[in-house]
Amino acid sequence: MKFNGYKRSDGHVGIRNHVVVLPGVICSSSVAKKIADKVEDARYLYNPNGCAQNAKDTSMTLEILSGLIANGNVYGALIVGLGCETIQKNIYIEAIQKKTNKPVVYISIQEEGGIQKTVEKGIKIVTALMEEASKCERVECDLSDIILGMECGGSDPTSGLSANTVLGNTSDRLVGLGGTAVLSETPEAIGAEGILEKRGRTPEIGKKLYDIVIKCEQSYLDSGDDIRNTNPSPGNKASGITTLEEKSIGCIHKSGTKPFDGVYEYGQMIDQKGLMFMDTTAYDVASVVAKIAGGAQIIAFTTGVGTPVGNAIAPVIKITGNHTTFTRLNDMLDFDTSESITGVKTITELGEELLDYIVDVCNGERVKAEEHEISDMAINQLSSYC
Amino acid sequence: MINAVLLNNDDMVATMTSAVYLGNDITFIMYGKTMVIKAISNVPIYHKVAVRAIEKGEAILKYGEKIGYATADIKEGEHVHTQNLSSRL
């Protein structure tokens, strides 16, 4: 199956052609935003980190930010640093160059001589990058070049009943066509680890899946917390989901029926095709961001009670099996699977329609989150700021 | 009219696709046959209802998988939620 996308010189394929303005540290975030705001269609990618993190968190931040810039949806980027922060210019450039050779320019406020001068220079750089980017044309690409990140948030019982099951059918189709689908949100696999274990392509992959879920629950218990007391959320419970196992089993329906071909760390670049699992948090935004940093050009996000979550560089398709939600919160939802509950359509029919819609979005059709310029950002971290 | 979905024939709970009130019929398909039971409590839309009696301590199945344990005896047609179902006994 084909679509028209952007073929990058680093081998990645994009479905959007964005120029990104990224603050190198939170201290330069407002200045970076001023630059992005002044250049039409430039994408501001908020970054809350960059300094005062321990070594593990610094490396996680770097993995995510370099991965986002390397994403096929990005033509090039301007990083606006402050100058004195932990993640220095050379560290950014080295981390990015390991993943991509696309144009990336770095400036810092302390070196440029203040806000005004940084903004002026930044605007010039971003305008030039936008001009170069506009010369890229969409060319025929194969759907096997697509990495589909799968997410759920604001779940209700229709998620497991309908939206996740439909997405699972779509995931099977995409993987069957040689593409890649990524399940994640490890805490929302708690209670489903036995099912995941059996779905590894090899016993080693199955064991790895099982182990990360067990480790995840144990890490909560070690800190004196029982995640089963806090997840499902109050909203999940009000809608009818009672236990974490119930939520988890519904959640993993998104991954369809294919065997898992690989297990990736948080934000790690995905370098093979098939069905993957990424070890992410259940904090939706931090999980979405990790998959995009891993190379996902598009996110399929199922919801029951509705969520507006979007991303600066990748379209986030919102899918619901709750027709009332689809109607009431229509300006943030893209695809309604409720006809699988009413029996008007089968899961298979809707799975095919969803794949067709995903192809439309790959071809450039804008999703609601893009229409509303919703751009959320969070990066997982282990410790508080030092 | 069908107003509940039993996701697996082994399940003890069905999911309501419309709200029911005490005394209403709950109609679902089990092993290809239409089954009708009476709601003995109100059950909101998309919430779970017991399709058979469940004893306290018994593992409750949905999707054919264990979703927790009954923390009280549950009657057929009763709402199953946080008041009688939990991850841990």
Side-chain angles (χ1 to χ4, degrees):
Chain A
M1 221 168 161
K2 304 290 179 188
F3 72 98
N4 291 321
Y6 300 94
K7 285 192 170 159
R8 306 295 179 196
S9 59
D10 59 14
H12 292 135
V13 165
I15 61 169
R16 297 292 183 267
N17 192 36
H18 294 311
V19 170
V20 163
V21 183
L22 169 75
V25 61
I26 190 163
C27 314
S28 55
S29 58
S30 295
V31 175
K33 185 163 191 308
K34 278 178 192 289
I35 297 167
D37 286 349
K38 288 280 165 52
V39 187
E40 203 183 338
D41 290 335
R43 292 297 161 128
Y44 175 63
L45 187 61
Y46 174 67
N47 165 29
N49 301 334
C51 203
Q53 291 185 287
N54 66 27
K56 268 193 177 167
D57 284 332
T58 301
S59 121
M60 188 135 58
T61 294
L62 204 53
E63 178 81 351
I64 293 294
L65 296 178
S66 58
L68 291 172
I69 287 177
N71 188 291
N73 291 353
V74 174
Y75 168 78
L78 169 68
I79 303 176
V80 183
L82 174 60
C84 54
E85 63 270 34
T86 311
I87 308 185
Q88 289 279 301
K89 175 181 177 174
N90 63 315
I91 303 173
Y92 270 120
I93 300 295
E94 268 173 39
I96 293 165
Q97 280 174 348
K98 275 186 198 157
K99 294 179 180 177
T100 177
N101 60 358
K102 66 180 62 168
V104 177
V105 183
Y106 183 100
I107 58 174
S108 81
I109 299 169
Q110 288 161 353
E111 197 176 308
E112 294 307 324
I115 297 170
Q116 189 70 22
K117 285 179 181 163
T118 307
V119 171
E120 279 166 17
K121 185 159 175 185
I123 291 171
K124 276 188 196 151
I125 293 165
V126 176
T127 307
L129 285 171
M130 294 290 293
E131 241 175 71
E132 288 170 30
S134 69
K135 289 176 191 146
C136 299
E137 282 181 11
R138 284 183 182 268
V139 293
E140 191 178 88
C141 300
D142 194 86
L143 213 55
S144 61
D145 287 321
I146 287 298
I147 302 177
L148 175 74
M150 301 185 290
E151 183 73 28
C152 56
S155 297
D156 77 3
T158 66
S159 302
L161 199 60
S162 172
N164 290 349
T165 312
V166 169
L167 178 54
N169 183 278
T170 305
S171 165
D172 279 352
R173 288 169 191 274
L174 178 63
V175 172
L177 291 165
T180 303
V182 190
L183 184 72
S184 62
E185 301 180 277
T186 314
E188 288 169 8
I190 293 173
E193 61 274 358
I195 305 171
L196 289 177
E197 186 181 18
K198 290 185 204 125
R199 284 187 54 201
R201 163 93 52 199
T202 63
E204 291 74 27
I205 295 171
K207 176 82 169 48
K208 216 169 169 182
L209 282 165
Y210 181 84
D211 286 348
I212 58 167
V213 180
I214 296 294
K215 194 177 148 202
C216 173
E217 181 160 28
Q218 193 57 45
S219 73
Y220 282 96
L221 292 169
D222 289 345
S223 65
D225 196 8
D226 186 354
I227 190 180
R228 298 192 197 219
N229 291 335
T230 52
N231 197 339
S233 73
N236 295 147
K237 284 188 177 168
S239 70
I241 297 175
T242 312
T243 64
L244 184 54
E245 298 92 305
E246 180 185 12
K247 187 174 168 179
S248 293
I249 296 160
C251 175
I252 66 162
H253 275 67
K254 297 198 292 296
S255 65
T257 57
K258 301 267 183 192
F260 282 89
D261 296 292
V263 183
Y264 285 77
E265 286 175 24
Y266 183 81
Q268 189 187 355
M269 189 155 279
I270 291 160
D271 54 4
Q272 57 179 328
K273 295 186 191 297
L275 178 65
M276 308 298 157
F277 189 93
M278 184 182 277
D279 185 9
T280 74
T281 152
Y283 192 37
D284 295 335
V285 175
S287 176
V288 164
V289 163
K291 281 172 283 190
I292 298 169
Q297 304 100 326
I298 184 164
I299 301 290
F301 192 131
T302 63
T303 182
V305 293
T307 169
V309 169
N311 181 270
I313 62 167
V316 180
I317 298 175
K318 239 39 94 14
I319 303 154
T320 187
N322 187 322
H323 186 66
T324 307
T325 300
F326 187 77
T327 313
R328 273 191 62 234
L329 308 176
N330 189 261
D331 68 355
M332 51 196 226
L333 295 161
D334 301 289
F335 197 89
D336 181 1
T337 65
S338 63
E339 285 181 328
S340 79
I341 299 173
T342 51
V344 177
K345 283 181 183 165
T346 64
I347 298 283
T348 308
E349 284 170 323
L350 287 159
E352 189 175 4
E353 284 178 23
L354 179 56
L355 185 67
D356 289 343
Y357 177 63
I358 287 172
V359 172
D360 290 343
V361 174
C362 289
N363 279 322
E365 187 172 326
R366 279 151 60 95
V367 302
K368 298 274 174 65
E370 287 177 299
E371 292 288 345
H372 292 280
E373 297 179 352
I374 306 287
S375 168
D376 301 305
M377 179 69 171
I379 301 174
N380 195 21
Q381 61 174 36
L382 304 164
S383 311
S384 18
Y385 297 104
C386 303
Chain B
M1 205 185 85
I2 306 280
N3 58 0
V5 181
L6 190 74
L7 289 159
N8 186 296
N9 290 319
D10 294 334
D11 289 356
M12 291 93 144
V13 290
T15 303
M16 298 307 308
T17 55
S18 60
V20 282
Y21 301 94
L22 176 72
N24 287 167
D25 283 349
I26 296 168
T27 312
F28 58 95
I29 310 280
M30 189 185 223
Y31 290 108
K33 284 185 190 154
T34 303
M35 311 287 284
V36 183
I37 58 174
K38 289 277 179 214
I40 63 155
S41 61
N42 298 344
V43 188
I45 185 167
Y46 305 133
H47 282 233
K48 294 175 288 300
V49 66
V51 296
R52 67 159 171 83
I54 305 166
E55 275 177 38
K56 184 179 174 178
E58 207 177 333
I60 295 184
L61 302 188
K62 178 183 169 182
Y63 303 107
E65 301 286 344
K66 189 191 85 184
I67 61 165
Y69 299 95
T71 54
D73 289 336
I74 304 170
K75 295 190 182 80
E76 178 184 293
E78 189 176 341
H79 184 204
V80 177
H81 200 26
T82 48
Q83 76 285 0
N84 51 19
L85 164 61
S86 173
S87 274
R88 305 196 196 280
L89 273 175

